[in-house]
Amino acid sequence: PEPGERDPDLLLYLGRVKKYKGLDVLIQALHLLKDRFPKARLEVAGSGDDVPRLESVARGLGISDRVRFLGRVSEEDKIRLYRRASVALNSSLKEGWGLTSIEANGCGTPVVASDVPGLCDSVRDGETGFLVPFGDAQAMAERIGRILGDSNLAAKLQASSLEWARSHSWDAVADRTE
């Protein structure tokens, strides 16, 4: 990403919007950050049957104006969103591997994710982002706040993220397999 492209207030979730993905934790974390980061907002890219419940959660916390559901996005928009976001989030209960974490890292975007199988393999805690206990909105908010509040840490995580994602290119994986 070019300097100035990042939106310092943008948090991004990209994936299916299902209850097991734990997006209510992201909304609660955003609520916990509202005083320290009054302009922070969450954009949710993806579709699923949990949108109405999550909209209700955001309304109940008084932050519906800071949570936006974008629906399904194109590949071009996905890359644009990853490059603009300051932090990508994944609060899922389970993942096969966590491809969206590597995609975010490929755009230089650090990830804060649940420390669950799949995600603990795709996020290097303290290097490409942070892992937090599943369902812990306080821990999620604390780690997001660390990144948003420390530009040196954010830059370090962005650089490590790009390096980590490059190690997962098709060519790099093929070379290791060979």
Side-chain angles (χ1 to χ4, degrees), residues 26-44:
L26 303 182
I27 295 169
Q28 291 164 7
L30 179 64
H31 179 258
L32 292 169
L33 291 165
K34 71 180 172 46
D35 293 335
R36 185 168 169 214
F37 300 99
K39 293 181 181 178
R41 68 193 189 288
L42 172 64
E43 292 190 359
V44 176

Side-chain angles (χ1 to χ4, degrees), residues 18-81:
K18 303 295 254 175
K19 190 166 186 174
Y20 80 90
K21 294 288 191 173
L23 273 73
D24 50 334
V25 172
L26 303 182
I27 295 169
Q28 291 164 7
L30 179 64
H31 179 258
L32 292 169
L33 291 165
K34 71 180 172 46
D35 293 335
R36 185 168 169 214
F37 300 99
K39 293 181 181 178
R41 68 193 189 288
L42 172 64
E43 292 190 359
V44 176
S47 59
D49 59 11
D50 204 28
V51 172
R53 184 182 72 86
L54 295 169
E55 288 173 332
S56 178
V57 169
R59 267 193 314 277
L61 293 171
I63 59 168
S64 58
D65 60 325
R66 298 174 61 186
V67 180
R68 205 167 127 215
F69 293 90
L70 307 175
R72 190 171 180 84
V73 297
S74 68
E75 285 297 310
E76 296 80 22
D77 284 341
K78 177 170 72 169
I79 292 167
R80 182 184 56 76
L81 285 165

Side-chain angles (χ1 to χ4, degrees), residues 68-171:
R68 205 167 127 215
F69 293 90
L70 307 175
R72 190 171 180 84
V73 297
S74 68
E75 285 297 310
E76 296 80 22
D77 284 341
K78 177 170 72 169
I79 292 167
R80 182 184 56 76
L81 285 165
Y82 278 137
R83 287 182 173 165
R84 281 188 48 241
S86 289
V87 185
L89 306 172
N90 193 332
S91 52
S92 186
L93 170 63
K94 59 183 178 181
E95 287 295 328
W97 189 67
L99 180 61
T100 58
S101 297
I102 298 299
E103 288 176 339
N105 288 166
C107 294
T109 306
V111 177
V112 179
S114 299
D115 189 2
V116 298
L119 294 176
C120 67
D121 299 318
S122 61
V123 176
R124 295 176 111 175
D125 191 40
E127 292 178 41
T128 65
F130 295 107
L131 294 168
V132 300
F134 171 75
D136 189 338
Q138 185 66 49
M140 182 71 71
E142 191 275 327
R143 295 304 190 289
I144 294 167
R146 282 182 63 187
I147 296 169
L148 295 181
D150 184 342
S151 59
N152 291 328
L153 173 63
K156 176 183 156 279
L157 294 172
Q158 288 168 6
S160 296
S161 292
L162 284 167
E163 184 181 323
W164 174 241
R166 280 190 200 108
S167 76
H168 291 86
S169 71
W170 285 111
D171 290 339

